[in-house]
Amino acid sequence: MTNKPSATCLVCREEIEQFQLLQNQGVPFDTLVHLVFKKDDEILNELKLGNCLMDLFCRNQKKLYFK
């Protein structure tokens, strides 16, 4: 068996846009992630494993917006 990357996206464009709008409003980062992202727990777990937030935003995205 081989490990394949997940085909599901962690984030969508609208979530990133909301994140950008709220990130400078003084909301604690963990709270912001919980408020904005549907897969908040998965994102926080990936960050705890040392993965970069930008990499999580771009993972499995084919659209130019995420590149």
Side-chain angles (χ1 to χ4, degrees):
M1 296 188 116
T2 60
N3 290 335
K4 288 187 192 176
S6 172
T8 59
C9 300
L10 288 180
V11 296
C12 66
R13 180 180 179 158
E14 292 79 19
E15 290 174 327
I16 293 175
E17 290 171 349
Q18 288 177 346
F19 180 79
Q20 288 176 318
L21 288 173
L22 295 173
Q23 70 182 351
N24 294 324
Q25 302 302 315
V27 178
F29 183 79
D30 287 1
T31 303
L32 180 59
V33 171
H34 286 298
L35 289 173
V36 174
F37 299 108
K38 293 174 190 164
K39 296 188 177 187
D40 54 338
D41 289 330
E42 190 173 345
I43 290 171
L44 291 173
N45 287 336
E46 290 284 337
L47 292 172
K48 287 177 185 174
L49 292 173
N51 293 312
C52 172
L53 186 60
M54 186 59 69
D55 290 341
L56 297 176
F57 284 174
C58 295
R59 184 180 293 169
N60 299 320
Q61 301 290 344
K62 294 183 171 109
K63 295 181 182 176
L64 183 60
Y65 178 83
F66 292 99
K67 306 265 183 205

